[in-house]
């Protein structure tokens, strides 16, 4: 009799676990479909971007090697952003990435890369506290006073970036930087499913970023962000 009751309870627990798992997976799927479908019309090609006259071209950070060399993903973002700058989409570049510790610095690598390709230093801003996609966009709005922006990153990442931007009230467009295949992309795609879900809820509550601070409008001098 006791064994029968235990089995019955275990069966109930198992069914509840399965039901919760199904609901969680369904929620992930629905949220991801919604996020991607709601902003896909904001992903444009370079030729379309050249006529936008945006406040800035926001290049989202990615890995760097030895604080000197951008990873392949970041290099492609930078090259695409520089192309947009030279085509007249905006005369300001905003490099947003992780510079939370001395031994790891994405943004100076990014700015140096642009300067080496004949971009004026004062036209290149660095956001040293762009620790996440959400924080990069929040700070683009509140610290750098950008309203109309072009976001440059890989396509799989653009959906989330554009969704966040829209919910933060930015007039944002995205140009994808995908000229090659990247090692580990399947893992990134899976992680992005979870990240989209996380930021779907984050924008509802408008959580403040790790750091804010004094405004440095992108209409001014980018060298004010040098360290």
């Amino acid at each position: 009799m006791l064994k029968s009751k235990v089995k019955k309870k275990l069966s109930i627990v198992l069914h509840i676990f399965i039901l919760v798992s199904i609901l969680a997976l369904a929620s992930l799927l629905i949220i991801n479909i919604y996020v991607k479908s709601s902003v896909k019309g904001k992903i444009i090609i370079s030729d379309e971007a050249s006529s936008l006259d945006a406040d800035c071209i926001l290049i989202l950070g990615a890995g760097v090697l030895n604080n000197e060399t951008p990873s392949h993903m970041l290099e492609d973002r930078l090259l695409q952003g520089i192309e947009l700058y030279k085509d007249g989409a905006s005369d300001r570049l905003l490099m947003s990435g992780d510079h939370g510790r001395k031994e790891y610095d994405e943004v100076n690598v990014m700015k140096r890369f642009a300067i080496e390709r004949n971009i004026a230093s004062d036209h290149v801003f660095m956001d040293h506290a762009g620790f996440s996609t959400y924080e990069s966009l929040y700070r683009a709005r509140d610290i750098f006073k950008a309203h109309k922006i072009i976001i440059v990153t890989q396509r799989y990442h653009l959906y989330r970036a554009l969704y966040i931007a829209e919910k933060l009230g930015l007039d944002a467009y995205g140009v994808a930087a995908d000229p090659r295949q990247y090692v580990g992309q399947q893992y990134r795609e899976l992680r992005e499913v979870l990240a989209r879900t996380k930021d779907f809820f984050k924008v509802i509550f408008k959580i403040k970023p790790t750091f804010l601070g004094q405004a440095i409008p992108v209409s001014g001098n980018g060298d004010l962000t040098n360290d």
Side-chain angles (χ1 to χ4, degrees), residues 42-54 56-60 76-94 119 149-153 158 173-177:
K42 291 282 190 171
I43 298 177
I44 59 177
I45 61 174
S46 298
D47 290 345
E48 294 173 295
S50 62
S51 63
L52 286 177
D53 191 27
C56 69
I57 298 160
L58 171 62
I59 304 177
L60 295 174
D76 291 340
R77 296 178 192 185
L78 289 164
L79 289 172
Q80 181 62 75
I82 290 167
E83 179 186 321
L84 291 170
Y85 173 95
K86 291 183 175 180
D87 286 347
S90 175
D91 65 351
R92 295 292 187 273
L93 293 172
L94 174 54
I119 306 297
I149 66 173
I150 300 168
I151 303 169
V152 178
T153 183
L158 261 182
Y173 300 84
V175 175

Side-chain angles (χ1 to χ4, degrees), residues 29-203:
L29 180 62
I30 291 167
I31 288 171
N32 272 264
I33 290 172
Y34 171 70
V35 168
K36 292 179 74 173
S37 63
S38 67
V39 297
K40 64 181 181 180
K42 291 282 190 171
I43 298 177
I44 59 177
I45 61 174
S46 298
D47 290 345
E48 294 173 295
S50 62
S51 63
L52 286 177
D53 191 27
D55 296 331
C56 69
I57 298 160
L58 171 62
I59 304 177
L60 295 174
V64 297
L65 308 175
N66 302 319
N67 278 353
E68 293 181 2
T69 307
S71 61
H72 289 157
M73 292 187 79
L74 182 55
E75 180 182 20
D76 291 340
R77 296 178 192 185
L78 289 164
L79 289 172
Q80 181 62 75
I82 290 167
E83 179 186 321
L84 291 170
Y85 173 95
K86 291 183 175 180
D87 286 347
S90 175
D91 65 351
R92 295 292 187 273
L93 293 172
L94 174 54
M95 311 299 197
S96 186
D98 185 350
H99 188 195
R101 56 194 192 281
K102 186 176 181 180
E103 63 272 17
Y104 186 74
D105 179 357
E106 292 178 0
V107 292
N108 274 289
V109 171
M110 295 166 76
K111 178 162 184 171
R112 189 161 58 246
F113 187 95
I115 292 171
E116 288 170 355
R117 283 152 184 82
N118 300 316
I119 306 297
S121 177
D122 60 327
H123 285 192
V124 185
F125 290 72
M126 292 184 288
D127 179 3
H128 300 267
F131 302 131
S132 68
T133 306
Y134 176 84
E135 293 188 283
S136 292
L137 288 156
Y138 198 116
R139 287 173 53 81
R141 183 193 69 180
D142 285 25
I143 299 299
F144 297 96
K145 301 300 179 183
H147 302 287
K148 186 176 185 179
I149 66 173
I150 300 168
I151 303 169
V152 178
T153 183
Q154 278 69 36
R155 180 175 291 270
Y156 82 97
H157 185 205
L158 261 182
Y159 297 105
R160 176 161 58 102
L162 287 166
Y163 184 80
I164 294 168
E166 182 180 275
K167 295 305 176 184
L168 291 178
L170 291 163
D171 183 12
Y173 300 84
V175 175
D178 291 291
R180 54 180 142 180
Q181 296 292 319
Y182 306 102
V183 175
Q185 188 57 29
Q186 288 183 333
Y187 167 73
R188 292 189 194 92
E189 296 277 0
L190 180 60
R191 188 177 65 177
E192 188 66 13
V193 169
L194 300 175
R196 287 188 198 116
T197 305
K198 176 197 70 176
D199 285 341
F200 173 83
F201 290 104
K202 204 166 188 176
V203 295

